[in-house]
Amino acid sequence: MTCDEERRGQIVGMLFGAFGQANDAHRQAIYTKVLGDIPNEILSKAVKKLLLESKFLPSIAEVVDASKSLMGTADDSTRVREWDEAWNEIERAMQSTPWGHTPVFSRIEIELAVRSFGWHDLQMTLAEDMPTVRAQVRRMYEDVCRRTKEHGHNEYILGRNKTGLLQPSAPKTKGLTSMSDVLARIEVRK
């Protein structure tokens, strides 16, 4: 067992111990193996976050989500936007983008949802039709977000993308060239 694997085992052991399940070695081994591609520094911080927020032993998916949340806090460009944030960005773009031009959005998911509806059609929407259009764009956005997440997980499971476990596969993180850059940003924000 490497030092890295031993440390990961200690982190998972702390999680299980805190929830009174320290004797469940088989399940701890499963968690340790499945969470193996999350860097120990991020995993440790995700476990600490879950210890403060959870009443019951978190699932593997919850540990991954906590890790993604920390990554999104460290670098906002990697965070998938909530619907209200995405809609605010779309509205700002509708108000500030000159006619005939296409805006640049912060996330590919927003761009794809807008493209699915049609940028020109969105700009031409009458005020009284906007609630219906907003609901349609929201459905498109949520579908795109779901597909992006699924794609990231599939790429990870197929071995094509090591970071797929922690973030959607697109877009690339701006200004970050390695996992150590992300970890440094987490440290800076503490």
Side-chain angles (χ1 to χ4, degrees), residues 51-63:
L51 291 175
L52 297 171
E53 296 175 354
S54 301
K55 293 181 182 180
F56 304 101
L57 179 67
S59 67
I60 291 171
E62 290 171 314
V63 176

Side-chain angles (χ1 to χ4, degrees), residues 38 46 49-50 59-71 149 153 165-166:
I38 297 176
K49 174 180 172 57
L50 290 165
S59 67
I60 291 171
E62 290 171 314
V63 176
V64 171
D65 285 344
S67 299
K68 287 180 184 179
S69 172
L70 289 171
M71 298 283 292
K149 181 178 179 180
H153 286 170
L165 186 63
L166 290 181

Side-chain angles (χ1 to χ4, degrees), residues 2-180:
T2 68
C3 185
D4 195 47
E5 291 169 337
E6 185 176 322
R7 176 69 182 125
R8 181 169 290 107
Q10 291 171 347
I11 294 166
V12 170
M14 182 175 71
L15 178 68
F16 274 70
F19 289 99
Q21 299 188 27
N23 294 331
D24 196 346
H26 180 70
R27 216 160 103 190
Q28 283 185 48
I30 292 170
Y31 273 62
T32 303
K33 181 171 178 55
V34 174
L35 299 171
D37 287 332
I38 297 176
N40 285 345
E41 296 85 358
I42 293 174
L43 182 61
S44 176
K45 291 175 188 333
V47 164
K48 185 175 183 178
K49 174 180 172 57
L50 290 165
L51 291 175
L52 297 171
E53 296 175 354
S54 301
K55 293 181 182 180
F56 304 101
L57 179 67
S59 67
I60 291 171
E62 290 171 314
V63 176
V64 171
D65 285 344
S67 299
K68 287 180 184 179
S69 172
L70 289 171
M71 298 283 292
T73 299
D75 180 12
D76 196 53
S77 70
T78 65
R79 183 179 61 83
V80 176
R81 306 297 184 252
E82 296 293 325
W83 166 243
D84 288 338
E85 292 175 280
W87 181 251
N88 286 337
E89 188 172 330
I90 293 167
E91 282 185 317
R92 281 192 310 275
M94 288 183 347
Q95 294 167 3
S96 64
T97 305
W99 184 255
H101 292 85
T102 305
V104 176
F105 293 103
S106 65
R107 293 289 304 178
I108 190 72
E109 296 88 356
I110 300 171
E111 180 182 334
L112 291 173
V114 167
R115 199 181 312 158
S116 292
F117 187 84
W119 176 244
H120 178 73
D121 294 335
L122 196 55
Q123 284 185 308
M124 296 290 292
T125 301
L126 299 174
E128 65 259 15
D129 296 332
M130 198 52 79
T132 302
V133 167
R134 182 175 192 237
Q136 291 170 341
V137 175
R138 180 180 187 161
R139 189 183 75 245
M140 292 172 190
Y141 178 73
E142 289 171 348
D143 286 346
V144 168
C145 289
R146 181 186 45 75
R147 285 193 311 269
T148 302
K149 181 178 179 180
E150 181 179 1
H151 177 75
H153 286 170
N154 289 346
E155 290 289 308
Y156 167 74
I157 289 171
L158 293 171
R160 297 181 190 155
N161 181 358
K162 285 280 190 192
T163 63
L165 186 63
L166 290 181
Q167 64 190 24
S169 58
K172 300 286 186 219
T173 57
K174 296 176 188 170
L176 300 180
T177 57
S178 68
M179 190 58 71
S180 60

